[in-house]
């Protein structure tokens, strides 16, 4: 602490307390079309089980623009359920006054309704939100792309373990077990078998790729676009593959 | 320096206690001063498998709490020189084990000249299992040839290499896989995973394959660790595993189906 400033006559003087900066964050939108408590809870739980990495304090925008229910949905209850399942409602968009009033009471930010760039991107994205990088290291607020340090792991990544390469690529020289999870802001290379989950471009880098010697993954995802093992078993199973994103569609190709 | 070996698995009922009894007996048979500790507080059964349950006066938790000293609690095996058992408490709960308490017991055993300390882990990945593996230099990961057991072993290997004291110091725990209750006939029918499958999934060194054998149950009911039964295939396989643990180069046996040739059938009939 600067002792001079503490002794200064004007205690509120000079030292800047903050700086306003424009930030660009990939934000996930939850389009809510219907609300019935039990069904909603069940679907949240199901999605969270399918892709737990997506549900780790991930900020979301609740979107009611396409809401089809006739009754005004109980916003407080919806927010509570989201939080229980690892989603953090940060803002809301809706044209409905009753919903907007609730949002104000709940201190949610209000996003402009209607067509914006954000809505176009998010609404064509798959239902699961962009994954939040795991607890390990807090990602820096700077958005894409990633040219940071590469993280190299020599040992197998076992069931229950999670490895995240913040700001760069992840290289695994051994295999990734079923029940393990690897995440990177950049590309992921696995020189053994990929049996767990692999999420590349977790902060939105759509040019990130996944490479592996044997594709046996539970889930692969690039910038929030994912495929589950059932989508890969027929054609690509246990073969060397690379995965990239083409217009929000994951493309799997032989590695050769 | 004592070598601390944890026998662990994640899953219950796969053969950890059977293995702890066999391996500790085998090490003592090879002349090494060995202690085997039951970490399964509340569900102790190592003392039964080693036939000393009626000689338990003080237990592991008594020693940790300072109610008794190590010498009072250690039970000398009646069959092999150099082998001592530290039984679990049947009445306390797992939280009685503390990092400091366990560390003190292990250090005292080492100071007492024990060369090998075998820690029989409880099932699960909670406190008791964690206490059993925390100080390990070597881990014998016991798995059965089935998917769920292999998955749990994988999980335990991850915990070993990230949460143990060695891991905290940036070192690795030496890991080895012991595949137990292996039945080549069932593998051939596709009902069980083959050795090669398990080795591929776990990508770790194979210490041994213990065949499924009726002699194991008989041995534990009689309180004689199966390694003492030289006619049992399981006993022989454990003897091989102990040799490998000590650095001997021993070929793996009991992996393939026996071919009951003419000679064997004739031999059977006349026997
Ligand atoms: N190789 C084997 N063949 C047949 N039965 C076995 C074998 N190994 C263990 N068992 C039996 O499996 C059961 C569980 O073994 P145990 O050693 O108590 O497992 P854990 O300590 O992992 O719970 C016991 O009934 C034991 O006799
Ligand atoms: Mg046991």
């Amino acid at each position: 602490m600067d002792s001079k400033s503490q002794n200064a006559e004007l205690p509120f003087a000079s030292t800047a307390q903050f700086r306003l900066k424009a930030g660009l964050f990939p934000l996930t939108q939850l389009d809510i079309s219907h609300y019935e408590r039990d069904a909603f809870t069940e679907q949240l739980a199901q999605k969270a089980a399918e892709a737990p990495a997506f549900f780790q304090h991930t900020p979301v925008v609740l979107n009611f623009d396409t809401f089809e229910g006739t009754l005004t949905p109980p916003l407080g209850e919806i927010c509570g359920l989201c939080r229980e399942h690892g989603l953090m409602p940060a803002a809301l968009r809706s044209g409905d006054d009753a919903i907007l009033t609730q949002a104000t009471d709940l201190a949610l930010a209000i996003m402009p309704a209607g067509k914006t760039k954000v809505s176009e991107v998010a609404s064509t994205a798959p239902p699961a939100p962009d994954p939040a990088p795991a607890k390990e290291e807090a990602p820096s607020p700077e958005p894409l792309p990633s040219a940071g340090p590469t993280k190299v792991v020599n040992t197998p990544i076992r069931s229950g373990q999670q490895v995240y390469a913040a700001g760069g690529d992840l290289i695994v020289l051994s295999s990734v077990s079923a029940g393990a999870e690897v995440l990177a802001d950049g590309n992921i290379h696995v020189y053994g078998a990929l049996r767990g989950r692999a999420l590349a471009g977790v902060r939105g880098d759509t040019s990130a790729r996944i490479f592996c010697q044997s594709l046996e993954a539970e889930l692969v995802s690039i910038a929030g676009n994912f495929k589950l093992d059932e989508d890969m078993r027929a054609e690509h199973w246990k073969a060397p593959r690379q995965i990239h994103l083409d217009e929000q569609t994951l493309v799997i190709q032989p590695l050769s | 320096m004592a070598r601390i070996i944890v026998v662990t698995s994640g899953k219950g009922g796969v053969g950890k206690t059977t293995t702890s009894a066999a391996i500790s007996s085998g090490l003592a048979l090879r002349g090494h001063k060995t202690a085997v500790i039951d970490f399964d507080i509340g569900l102790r059964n190592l003392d039964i498998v080693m036939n000393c349950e009626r000689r338990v006066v003080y237990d592991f938790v008594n020693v940790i709490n300072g109610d008794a000293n190590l010498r009072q609690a250690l039970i000398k095996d009646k069959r092999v020189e150099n082998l001592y058992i530290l039984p679990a408490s049947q009445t306390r709960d797992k939280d009685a084990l503390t990092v400091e308490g366990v560390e003190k017991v292990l250090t005292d055993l080492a100071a007492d000249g024990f060369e090998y300390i075998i820690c029989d882990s409880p099932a699960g990945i909670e406190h008791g299992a964690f206490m059993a593996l925390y100080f390990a230099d070597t881990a014998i990961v016991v798995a059965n040839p089935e998917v769920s057991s292999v998955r749990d072993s994988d999980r335990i290997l991850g915990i070993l290499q990230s949460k143990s004291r060695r891991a905290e110091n940036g070192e690795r725990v030496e890991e080895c896989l012991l595949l137990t209750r292996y039945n080549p006939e069932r593998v051939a029918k596709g009902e069980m995973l083959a050795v090669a499958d398990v080795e591929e999934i776990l990508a770790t060194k194979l210490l041994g394959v213990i065949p499924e054998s009726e002699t194991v149950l008989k041995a534990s009911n009689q309180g004689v660790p199966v390694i003492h039964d030289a006619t049992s295939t399981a006993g022989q396989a454990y003897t091989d595993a102990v040799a490998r643990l000590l650095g001997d180069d021993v070929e793996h046996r009991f992996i393939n189906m026996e071919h009951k040739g003419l000679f064997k059938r004739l031999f059977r009939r006349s026997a």
Side-chain angles (χ1 to χ4, degrees):
Chain A
M1 261 256 152
D2 183 359
S3 59
K4 258 195 223 155
S5 70
Q6 279 182 0
N7 299 335
E9 279 174 28
L10 289 172
F12 310 110
S14 50
T15 318
Q17 304 292 299
F18 58 78
R19 221 152 38 110
L20 272 174
K21 260 179 96 176
L24 180 67
F25 303 96
L27 254 189
T28 299
Q29 180 168 299
L30 193 66
D31 291 339
I32 302 177
S33 53
H34 299 87
Y35 182 77
E36 194 277 302
R37 190 190 159 97
D38 290 345
F40 188 81
T41 310
E42 197 191 310
Q43 284 173 29
L44 266 182
Q46 195 186 331
K47 277 278 178 280
E50 275 172 19
F54 296 141
F55 288 76
Q56 293 181 354
H57 304 289
T58 307
V60 289
V61 178
L62 303 180
N63 177 27
F64 289 93
D65 277 353
T66 50
F67 191 70
E68 292 170 22
T70 43
L71 296 172
T72 303
L75 199 53
E77 185 176 290
I78 293 177
C79 289
L81 289 171
C82 285
R83 282 191 203 100
E84 271 171 38
H85 291 87
L87 299 180
M88 308 296 284
L92 171 137
R93 72 196 314 171
S94 169
D96 183 297
D97 284 341
I99 296 180
L100 290 173
T101 313
Q102 289 189 68
T104 316
D105 291 345
L106 291 164
L108 287 176
I110 313 276
M111 304 288 258
K115 291 177 244 121
T116 68
K117 231 185 196 166
V118 180
S119 87
E120 277 161 34
V121 175
S123 61
T124 46
D130 285 350
K135 314 146 222 166
E136 207 183 302
E137 293 154 56
S140 77
E142 244 85 299
L144 19 149
S146 47
T150 298
K151 186 166 190 160
V152 181
V153 182
N154 297 306
T155 53
I157 300 175
R158 306 285 185 183
S159 178
Q161 291 187 313
Q162 192 178 50
V163 175
Y164 169 46
D169 290 359
L170 177 65
I171 297 181
V172 182
L173 294 169
S174 185
S175 38
V176 176
S177 294
E181 189 170 68
V182 287
L183 308 100
D185 288 343
N187 306 299
I188 296 176
H189 307 252
V190 180
Y191 289 93
L194 171 55
R195 302 192 175 100
R197 300 161 178 272
L199 300 91
V202 291
R203 276 193 294 154
D205 183 354
T206 51
S207 68
R209 292 184 180 221
I210 297 171
F211 306 86
C212 61
Q213 278 302 336
S214 177
L215 179 61
E216 304 167 42
E218 294 165 325
L219 173 147
V220 291
S221 161
I222 293 171
N225 301 271
F226 69 93
K227 268 194 201 305
L228 294 172
D229 65 343
E230 60 213 40
D231 307 323
M232 305 182 280
R233 275 183 186 269
E235 232 187 297
H236 307 286
W237 211 239
K238 295 196 174 178
R241 287 293 181 266
Q242 65 156 313
I243 302 161
H244 73 273
L245 193 59
D246 182 14
E247 305 272 338
Q248 273 126 35
T249 306
L250 282 189
V251 181
I252 307 182
Q253 288 172 322
L255 230 195
S256 59
Chain B
M1 263 306 280
R3 182 169 166 200
I4 301 171
I5 303 178
V6 63
V7 178
T8 185
S9 71
K11 203 172 169 69
V14 295
K16 290 181 293 296
T17 299
T18 305
T19 299
S20 299
I23 299 272
S24 58
S25 300
L27 288 167
L29 283 168
R30 294 269 308 241
H32 298 285
K33 188 170 178 185
T34 304
V36 54
I37 308 179
D38 190 347
F39 276 76
D40 208 344
I41 309 296
L43 285 172
R44 74 174 203 220
N45 50 30
L46 181 70
D47 50 328
I48 298 174
V49 174
M50 303 198 63
N51 197 20
C52 61
E53 76 271 24
R54 279 184 216 89
R55 295 196 285 144
V56 175
V57 181
Y58 296 109
D59 58 51
F60 192 17
V61 173
N62 290 138
V63 178
I64 284 180
N65 291 348
D67 309 333
N69 65 39
L70 251 183
R71 298 246 166 135
Q72 292 172 299
L74 283 174
I75 304 175
K76 191 173 183 323
D77 188 68
K78 283 207 165 143
R79 258 170 238 97
V80 207
E81 276 295 304
N82 295 323
L83 179 59
Y84 293 80
I85 298 122
L86 184 55
S89 167
Q90 186 71 325
T91 48
R92 312 299 181 92
D93 82 33
K94 299 191 221 343
D95 297 331
L97 299 181
T98 59
V99 171
E100 298 75 28
V102 172
E103 180 167 32
K104 177 147 196 324
V105 170
L106 296 175
T107 331
D108 289 354
L109 285 169
D112 219 359
F114 280 92
E115 292 168 79
Y116 289 92
I117 304 170
I118 309 298
C119 303
D120 180 16
S121 173
I125 52 171
E126 269 125 59
H127 185 69
F130 175 67
M131 286 293 114
L133 69 77
Y134 184 67
F135 293 100
D137 300 307
T138 300
I140 298 179
V141 175
V142 180
N144 292 162
E146 46 163 286
V147 174
S148 66
S149 168
V150 171
R151 170 76 68 97
D152 288 357
S153 297
D154 190 60
R155 183 87 208 267
I156 273 289
L157 283 165
I159 292 173
L160 268 167
Q161 302 299 7
S162 60
K163 302 272 162 64
S164 62
R165 192 167 64 169
R166 276 184 166 253
E168 285 174 0
N169 294 337
E171 300 163 336
R172 279 183 72 76
V173 178
E174 184 195 11
E175 51 183 51
C176 52
L177 168 69
L178 191 72
L179 199 53
T180 64
R181 311 198 69 162
Y182 195 73
N183 183 333
E185 280 80 26
R186 293 190 61 193
V187 172
K189 283 189 211 150
E191 295 170 1
M192 278 186 172
L193 296 174
V195 181
D197 300 336
V198 180
E199 273 190 288
E200 196 205 309
I201 296 173
L202 292 179
T204 197
K205 188 178 73 194
L206 185 66
L207 178 68
V209 177
I210 313 296
E212 170 92 24
S213 162
E214 284 165 19
T215 56
V216 173
L217 187 59
K218 210 168 68 194
S220 28
N221 285 336
Q222 291 172 347
V224 186
V226 72
I227 198 163
H228 289 290
D229 183 352
T231 63
S232 149
T233 51
Q236 294 165 23
Y238 273 121
T239 302
D240 289 359
V242 168
R244 287 185 204 107
L245 201 56
L246 292 172
D248 299 354
D249 193 4
V250 183
E251 218 177 301
H252 289 283
R253 299 193 267 173
F254 316 114
I255 291 181
N256 298 315
M257 228 158 49
E258 274 179 68
H259 294 290
K260 292 201 180 110
L262 181 66
F263 177 76
K264 183 130 190 180
R265 271 188 260 140
L266 287 174
F267 184 72
R268 276 253 170 100
R269 210 169 287 162
S270 62

